[in-house]
Amino acid sequence: MAMKIGIFYGGRGIISDPTIYVIKKMTQVFEELNVSVDRYDLYDHKNAITTLPQTLKELDGIILASTVEWHGVGGYMNSFLDACWLYGDKERIQNVYMAPVIMSTTYGEKDAELDLIKAWTTLGGQCADGITGYIPDVAEFEINKKYDELIEKCAENIYRAFNQKKQSLPISTREGSRKVGM
């Protein structure tokens, strides 16, 4: 059975969004590795965002992708994570690996990455290394082709982490969430 990855994009969908470039490049790599990829643009699902956690049942791993334009990952991603907390299958989430993809056009990509990691581990999920970067103008990807190589290597590493079910030591956030009734 082929691996299945879901990409949940929490940006606004504007053409100049560097996160869109990154997830398209990653999708190409995943498809070359015979991975089935489903992309969910959260702005398109804003009226049905509470049903999206049900899609996790079919996935081996997810990528939470967002752009920091001002402060944090934005409302669509936060709404999706809220829906995972309220309506998600916590037992299933424990077996779903997540890799964050955060591009910033201003600053704050590392803080946003940490927020996604903390949210996912609070839900009980597993995390893999993702990709973050400061790209104020998507044209920089055209200027510096080394960025494509970096994105491709990151996608390959995410594939390996998801495929090998990379194990980690217990963390207090996950253990604490089990004690509060998850």
Side-chain angles (χ1 to χ4, degrees), residues 4-12 17 19-20 23 26-27 30 36-45 48-67 73-74 76-81 83-84 93 96-102 116 120 162:
K4 193 167 185 180
I5 294 176
I7 298 176
F8 295 83
Y9 166 67
R12 296 183 298 139
D17 186 339
T19 304
I20 292 174
I23 59 178
M26 292 176 81
T27 298
F30 293 142
S36 174
V37 179
D38 291 330
R39 178 171 154 187
Y40 301 92
D41 294 332
L42 299 178
Y43 62 88
D44 280 340
H45 297 278
I49 212 157
T50 58
T51 63
L52 286 179
Q54 298 309 310
T55 63
L56 300 177
K57 292 179 179 183
E58 306 163 2
L59 303 173
D60 298 297
I62 67 168
I63 296 190
L64 297 181
S66 193
T67 304
V73 295
Y76 296 128
M77 184 61 70
N78 285 322
S79 293
F80 172 69
L81 291 167
C84 288
I93 289 173
V96 177
Y97 283 73
M98 184 279 293
V101 172
I102 303 291
L116 290 182
W120 196 250
F162 289 178

Side-chain angles (χ1 to χ4, degrees), residues 2 7 29 56-57 63 90 94 126 141 149 166 178:
I7 298 176
V29 171
L56 300 177
K57 292 179 179 183
I63 296 190
K90 306 301 188 301
Q94 290 177 14
Q126 304 287 328
F141 288 119
E149 292 175 26
K166 181 189 92 166
R178 288 184 183 142

Side-chain angles (χ1 to χ4, degrees), residues 86-148:
L86 294 170
Y87 310 111
D89 179 343
K90 306 301 188 301
E91 286 186 39
R92 176 64 185 128
I93 289 173
Q94 290 177 14
N95 297 313
V96 177
Y97 283 73
M98 184 279 293
V101 172
I102 303 291
M103 295 295 114
S104 173
T105 58
T106 56
Y107 61 89
E109 66 279 357
K110 287 297 187 181
D111 290 335
E113 176 189 40
L114 183 57
D115 285 345
L116 290 182
I117 291 168
K118 288 186 334 188
W120 196 250
T121 57
T122 299
L123 287 164
Q126 304 287 328
C127 292
D129 293 335
I131 187 169
T132 60
Y134 166 69
I135 305 289
D137 185 350
V138 75
E140 288 189 39
F141 288 119
E142 298 300 322
I143 296 167
N144 191 340
K145 287 301 178 186
K146 292 277 185 193
Y147 291 161
D148 283 351

Side-chain angles (χ1 to χ4, degrees), residues 15-35:
I15 293 172
S16 61
D17 186 339
T19 304
I20 292 174
Y21 181 92
V22 172
I23 59 178
K24 283 182 179 179
K25 180 63 68 181
M26 292 176 81
T27 298
Q28 291 172 349
V29 171
F30 293 142
E31 289 174 347
E32 288 172 10
L33 294 167
N34 294 316
V35 174

